[in-house]
């Protein structure tokens, strides 16, 4: 289905969200607070009972006993993030990439007092070894405990550390494929003043994982629409993975993210995620290019 102004959603987006919500409720109780991207109301309006039916069948591959009512309850829209502690879920980040054969990610974060304290990011089409297609990676980070990645097939965690960039060296810049999401061309042109740019265009917040493990020096994002405010589930898990690997994450104005302000990162614009020595220089370069 095509969501008004918010891109496509598929049976996989709905089924993934329902699977995750069911698992979280089983683990933490039925009143666990979850702020997630998809909603039952929107899915019913745009896709009707047929879409929900397909989602129920897909969920049963993971939770065989799930009823229609369980799936509907798991997709029921959540209020804005008012609880001091809640989970935020992007069941399928980068849906356009998923449909195109590009990268996508499943992102789950636990937020406490406006900050992510646990982040899990699965990128089922990413290679463990390099920025290319592969058999899938899962990255996990906890506040103060570091970031770890493993192949999706078997849990063998290895620590993630971001790169150490030095002035004059090439700048490997991860950015969006989709021009409607981020002005990657103009961002790369602007970063060119710091050194030769190597653009890495990739869908989804897998970009944060690529910075965290040192395959890119930064992830930079600026919406072509200046009014756009980023959704919390597009960043909470990925940003924690990058931070725990040693990166700095702010908006383009150097402001840290506050996840306690609702479904969006209010008062913030875009993203600059970079290894420590590069972050400040990127902010300067972006500020001078914006006048
Ligand atoms: P990416 O794969 O990095 O291009 O980002 C995918 C995310 O972009 C989706 O999860 C959307 O929430 C988000 N998005 C959708 N529209 C916009 C927009 N106009 N500006 C910035 N991000 C957007
Ligand atoms: Mg998303």
């Amino acid at each position: 289905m095509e969501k008004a102004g918010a891109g496509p959603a598929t049976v996989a987006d709905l089924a993934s969200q329902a699977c995750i919500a069911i698992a979280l409720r089983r683990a933490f109780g039925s009143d666990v607070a979850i702020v997630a991207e998809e909603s039952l109301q929107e899915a019913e309006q745009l896709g009707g009972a047929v879409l929900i039916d397909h989602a129920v069948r897909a969920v049963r591959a993971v939770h065989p006993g799930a009823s229609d009512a369980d799936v509907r309850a798991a997709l029921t829209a959540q209020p804005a993030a008012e609880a001091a502690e809640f989970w935020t879920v992007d069941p399928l980040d980068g849906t356009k990439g998923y449909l195109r054969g590009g990268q996508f990610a499943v992102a789950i974060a636990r937020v406490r007092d406006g900050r992510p304290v646990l982040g899990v990011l699965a990128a089922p089409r990413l290679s463990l070894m390099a920025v290319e297609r592969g058999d899938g990676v899962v990255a996990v980070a906890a506040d103060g405990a570091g970031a770890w990645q493993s192949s999706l097939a078997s849990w063998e965690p290895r620590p993630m550390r971001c790169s150490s960039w030095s002035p004059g060296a090439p700048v490997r810049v991860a950015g969006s494929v989709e021009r409607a999401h981020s002005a990657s061309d103009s961002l790369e042109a602007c970063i060119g003043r710091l050194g030769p740019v190597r653009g890495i265009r990739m869908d989804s917040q897998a970009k944060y994982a690529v910075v965290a493990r040192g395959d890119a020096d930064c992830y930079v994002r600026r919406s072509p629409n200046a009014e756009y405010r980023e959704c919390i589930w597009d960043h909470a898990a990925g940003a924690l993975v990058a931070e725990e690997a040693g990166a700095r994450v702010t908006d383009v104005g150097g402001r840290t993210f506050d996840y306690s302000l609702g479904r969006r990162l209010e008062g913030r614009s875009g993203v600059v995620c970079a290894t420590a020595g590069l972050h400040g220089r990127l902010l300067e370069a972006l500020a001078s290019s914006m006048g």
Side-chain angles (χ1 to χ4, degrees):
M1 63 190 185
E2 193 64 36
K3 297 188 292 181
T10 69
V11 170
D13 294 64
L14 298 172
S16 170
Q17 182 167 316
C19 286
I20 293 164
I22 289 169
L24 288 174
R25 285 173 183 177
R26 282 187 186 160
F28 300 105
S30 58
D31 56 355
V32 64
I34 303 171
V35 179
E37 178 166 12
E38 309 303 337
S39 84
L40 177 66
Q41 196 193 18
E42 193 175 39
E44 276 182 325
Q45 261 170 20
L46 297 174
V50 179
L51 183 62
I52 310 286
D53 221 53
H54 280 292
V56 172
R57 271 183 264 157
V59 169
R60 284 190 185 134
V62 176
H63 300 294
S67 67
D68 189 77
D70 291 337
V71 173
R72 285 171 181 272
L75 290 174
T76 296
Q78 300 289 324
E82 281 161 4
E85 185 156 345
F86 63 92
W87 294 83
T88 187
V89 175
D90 194 335
L92 205 168
D93 183 37
T95 306
K96 289 176 185 165
Y98 169 71
L99 293 169
R100 235 197 291 105
Q103 294 295 336
F104 67 97
V106 177
I108 307 172
R110 187 174 199 157
V111 176
R112 185 180 296 146
D113 298 327
R115 277 188 37 77
V117 291
L118 180 69
V120 181
L121 195 61
R125 287 185 188 146
L126 185 62
S127 162
L128 195 59
M129 309 308 293
V131 185
E132 56 188 43
R133 257 186 97 98
D135 298 333
V137 174
V138 61
V140 179
D143 191 19
W148 307 78
Q149 70 166 358
S150 169
S151 97
L152 258 185
S154 69
W155 177 240
E156 288 161 23
R158 302 262 162 81
M160 301 172 93
R161 278 316 290 171
C162 65
S163 67
S164 52
W165 179 84
S166 34
V171 189
R172 296 165 303 161
V173 182
S176 281
V177 176
E178 294 290 334
R179 284 161 195 269
H181 296 174
S182 181
S184 296
D185 289 331
S186 75
L187 287 167
E188 286 177 13
C190 155
I191 295 165
R193 70 182 66 188
L194 301 179
V197 168
R198 309 251 191 282
I200 301 169
R201 303 287 175 91
M202 180 185 275
D203 298 286
S204 86
Q205 59 190 288
K207 291 186 274 294
Y208 281 114
V210 162
V211 173
R213 69 192 196 184
D215 284 340
D217 302 303
C218 58
Y219 160 27
V220 185
R221 179 180 197 90
R222 184 165 66 197
S223 178
N225 163 10
E227 304 309 309
Y228 185 83
R229 295 291 170 259
E230 300 286 335
C231 297
I232 59 171
W233 50 79
D234 283 332
H235 301 283
L240 185 65
V241 167
E243 285 175 329
E244 285 295 325
R248 283 209 64 205
V249 180
T250 66
D251 81 344
V252 293
R255 291 168 288 241
T256 55
F257 291 163
D258 181 349
Y259 294 85
S260 71
L261 304 174
R263 292 168 71 82
R264 303 225 174 219
L265 293 168
E266 301 297 346
R268 311 293 192 276
S269 179
V271 176
V272 177
C273 163
T275 187
L278 178 60
H279 187 271
R281 289 168 197 264
L282 284 172
L283 291 183
E284 281 167 20
L286 293 175
S288 57
S289 83
M290 288 189 280

